[in-house]
């Protein structure tokens, strides 16, 4: 008897959908394509010499080397968790290592939190637009999405309040240099978000993946830093996700969750039932590299990405036709493009790839309600400044032709 595989797969798994970005990257890697599609770091900025030295020193030390190749505790190496705790404290978010769990990138953190808090039909609040990878992680639990619109200061508080008033008790938010828009919350909006969450006893999942990639202005405190309740580090409403993927190297797959201890304890059990622990040697390397590199390496990244952002912004200013607008991020890797209402960004992408050899991500993929058909995400992180200028010119020419049709 032939097995009907699709019938054997449970509904939770069938809820998963392919990532438009991952599919697009396979095509955008063609050398003739100027790609603004990938939300990935510039590989030229990876601290290769430091990694070469750290891996060599580690495996050259018999005791440390053998320890780094062994199983480890599920919570993560104490030394790495202490480094993260110290870094959080320096940013105003004092936490103990018992509040920190090391994960296989922040993406695993999203998946674990989804399995911990979500179930079919449970509502979760998302920004409109929001990070596609988070929606992929959440969708396997088949929640109900509640979209909240944004302005330049952050989510619209009246809409957030209404979502919580109607029963939602979880919100996934990105206050710093959000993927995909590059927007950041103002201080007043951060405080209002926290006040609204506390009013209803709601949980905030704060994605801090880009928080260190700040290029101008004052760095505002994270929601985690503002979430102090009488000095009790287990009494807050914020769970924060962090990662080294944007500041050191994605292949390390080192992320972390900072949360009240009851949450961490449950996540540790899930970790034990899943992959036991994150790679021991990669944790050791991350700790040694972070100790050697930071903060100087962060300044190197800031200088490099600031220059690319400025080049893309200037090219947009100089070439884009009337009716097109874009965000002006103070950090991160992305600029958000809003096209005239009559231009569909998915159709535009097909023409851009074929005729102009330029790639970007259509914005509709980032909306939980599939709106945003006239929007697009542009990443300035990986292409050279010369190719950024040329790619924006080609894209602007194509948009202008579309507008004249």
């Amino acid at each position: 008897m032939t097995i009907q595989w699709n019938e054997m797969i449970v509904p939770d798994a069938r809820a998963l959908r392919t990532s438009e970005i991952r599919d697009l990257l396979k095509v955008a890697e063609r050398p003739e394509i100027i790609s603004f599609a990938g939300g990935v770091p510039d590989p030229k900025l990876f601290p290769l010499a430091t990694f070469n030295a750290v891996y060599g020193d580690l495996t050259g030390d018999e005791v440390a080397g053998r320890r780094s190749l062994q199983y480890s505790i599920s919570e993560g190496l104490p030394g790495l968790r202490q480094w993260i705790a110290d870094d959080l404290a320096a940013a105003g978010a004092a936490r103990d290592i018992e509040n920190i769990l090391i994960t296989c990138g922040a993406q695993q953190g999203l998946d674990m939190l989804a399995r911990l808090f979500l179930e079919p039909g449970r509502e979760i609040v998302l920004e409109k637009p929001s990070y596609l990878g988070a929606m992929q992680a959440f969708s396997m639990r088949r929640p109900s999405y509640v979209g909240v619109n944004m302005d330049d200061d952050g989510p619209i508080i009246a809409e957030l309040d209404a979502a919580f008033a109607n029963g939602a008790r979880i919100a996934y938010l990105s206050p710093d240099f959000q993927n995909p828009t590059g927007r950041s919350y103002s201080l007043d909006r951060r405080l209002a978000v926290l006040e609204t969450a506390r009013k209803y006893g709601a949980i905030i999942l704060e994605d801090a993946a880009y928080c260190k990639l700040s290029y101008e202005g004052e760095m505002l405190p994270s929601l985690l830093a503002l979430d102090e309740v009488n000095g009790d580090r287990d009494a807050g409403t914020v769970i924060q996700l962090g990662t080294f993927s944007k500041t050191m190297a994605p292949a390390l797959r080192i992320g972390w969750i900072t949360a009240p201890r009851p949450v961490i304890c449950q996540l540790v059990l899930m970790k034990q039932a899943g992959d036991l622990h994150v790679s021991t040697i990669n944790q050791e390397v991350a700790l040694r590299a972070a100790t050697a590199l930071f903060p100087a390496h962060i300044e190197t990244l800031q200088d490099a990405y600031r220059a690319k952002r400025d080049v893309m912004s200037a090219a947009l200013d100089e070439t884009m036709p009337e009716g097109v607008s874009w965000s002006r991020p103070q950090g991160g890797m992305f600029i958000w493009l809003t096209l005239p209402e009559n231009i569909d960004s998915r159709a535009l992408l097909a023409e851009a790839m074929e005729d102009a050899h330029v790639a970007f991500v259509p914005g509709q993929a980032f909306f939980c309600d599939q709106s945003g058909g006239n929007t697009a995400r542009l990443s300035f992180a990986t292409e050279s400044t010369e190719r950024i200028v040329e790619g924006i010119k080609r894209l602007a020419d194509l948009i202008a032709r579309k507008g004249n049709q």
Side-chain angles (χ1 to χ4, degrees):
M1 182 176 181
T2 302
I3 296 174
Q4 300 300 312
W5 290 107
N6 286 335
E7 294 179 7
M8 296 296 291
I9 297 172
V10 299
D12 284 359
R14 289 204 300 269
L16 291 172
R17 296 290 181 268
T18 185
S19 166
E20 288 193 32
I21 300 174
R22 291 288 168 181
D23 292 343
L24 176 58
L25 289 180
K26 297 173 187 176
V27 181
E29 286 179 351
R30 296 185 343 227
E32 73 273 19
I33 299 291
I34 298 176
S35 180
F36 304 135
V40 299
D42 185 346
K44 296 183 180 66
L45 297 174
F46 294 157
L48 197 58
T50 298
F51 285 135
N52 186 46
V54 168
Y55 273 108
D57 289 345
L58 185 58
T59 55
D61 182 325
E62 183 167 353
V63 174
R66 293 186 185 280
R67 185 178 63 239
S68 71
L69 297 173
Q70 186 57 279
Y71 287 111
S72 186
I73 61 175
S74 298
E75 291 87 341
L77 296 184
L80 180 58
R81 288 153 62 214
Q82 186 62 60
W83 188 95
I84 293 167
D86 292 343
D87 190 60
L88 288 170
R95 297 297 188 273
D96 300 320
I97 67 168
E98 289 81 9
N99 297 117
I100 298 168
L101 171 72
I102 305 299
T103 60
C104 185
Q107 190 66 28
Q108 185 185 50
L110 288 167
D111 174 70
M112 294 179 72
L113 291 169
R115 289 187 284 123
L116 186 65
F117 290 122
L118 299 180
E119 59 186 352
R122 178 171 285 186
E123 293 184 332
I124 180 169
V125 177
L126 301 178
E127 301 156 331
K128 290 174 60 180
S130 187
Y131 171 47
L132 174 59
M135 287 188 277
Q136 281 192 296
F138 300 153
S139 289
M140 191 167 178
R141 303 298 296 160
R142 293 183 288 153
S144 294
Y145 293 125
V146 181
V148 170
N149 287 300
M150 307 267 287
D151 62 21
D152 288 341
D153 287 328
I156 305 300
I157 293 301
E159 294 188 21
L160 184 64
D161 188 282
F164 290 151
N166 288 328
R169 289 295 179 268
I170 305 169
Y172 167 74
L173 306 174
S174 301
D176 293 301
F177 321 125
Q178 186 226 34
N179 179 1
T181 66
R183 289 190 183 119
S184 295
Y185 298 6
S186 67
L187 180 58
D188 286 346
R189 195 64 58 89
R190 292 169 194 247
L191 294 170
V193 164
L194 280 173
E195 181 182 355
T196 306
R198 289 168 182 158
K199 175 181 173 182
Y200 292 98
I203 297 168
I204 296 174
L205 308 180
E206 180 186 25
D207 194 329
Y210 298 91
C211 67
K212 289 189 180 296
L213 299 182
S214 174
Y215 312 139
E216 61 190 50
E218 179 186 3
M219 188 62 203
L220 297 176
S222 66
L223 297 180
L224 185 72
L226 295 169
D227 190 34
E228 289 286 346
V229 182
N230 299 322
D232 186 346
R233 297 173 183 181
D234 296 319
T237 189
V238 176
I239 294 172
Q240 190 186 80
L241 297 115
T243 179
F244 281 134
S245 291
K246 308 303 185 291
T247 56
M248 276 205 287
L252 284 175
R253 306 312 302 136
I254 302 294
W256 56 90
I257 296 171
T258 306
R261 278 177 292 185
V263 175
I264 295 295
C265 288
Q266 194 63 41
L267 290 171
V268 168
L269 297 179
M270 294 169 66
K271 191 78 174 155
Q272 292 169 355
D275 61 358
L276 300 182
H277 63 85
V278 174
S279 163
T280 310
I281 192 169
N282 281 3
Q283 290 187 72
E284 289 276 9
V285 167
L287 172 59
R288 294 179 181 218
T291 302
L293 288 168
F294 293 170
H297 182 60
I298 297 297
E299 295 171 2
T300 298
L301 297 178
Q302 290 170 334
D303 290 344
Y305 289 135
R306 181 190 300 110
K308 291 189 177 193
R309 179 208 58 180
D310 291 348
V311 166
M312 180 174 280
S313 294
L316 289 165
D317 287 338
E318 293 168 8
T319 63
M320 278 294 161
E322 189 175 345
V324 181
S325 61
W326 51 92
S327 63
R328 300 183 183 275
Q330 293 185 306
M333 295 181 174
F334 308 106
I335 288 178
W336 186 247
L337 202 65
T338 302
L339 305 164
E341 291 286 348
N342 66 314
I343 297 181
D344 179 84
S345 61
R346 281 177 170 159
L348 181 69
L349 173 65
E351 293 187 47
M353 294 277 287
E354 182 66 25
D355 299 336
H357 291 168
V358 174
F360 57 85
V361 182
Q364 192 172 15
F366 300 98
F367 286 83
C368 59
D369 59 3
Q370 291 299 295
S371 60
N374 66 321
T375 60
R377 190 192 77 177
L378 306 177
S379 173
F380 50 79
T382 55
E383 291 286 9
S384 67
T385 54
E386 293 79 11
R387 282 169 65 90
I388 288 173
V389 171
E390 177 61 25
I392 293 298
K393 181 180 182 300
R394 294 182 193 178
L395 185 59
D397 289 344
L398 178 60
I399 293 171
R401 293 199 302 271
K402 294 284 288 184
N404 293 328
Q405 291 178 357

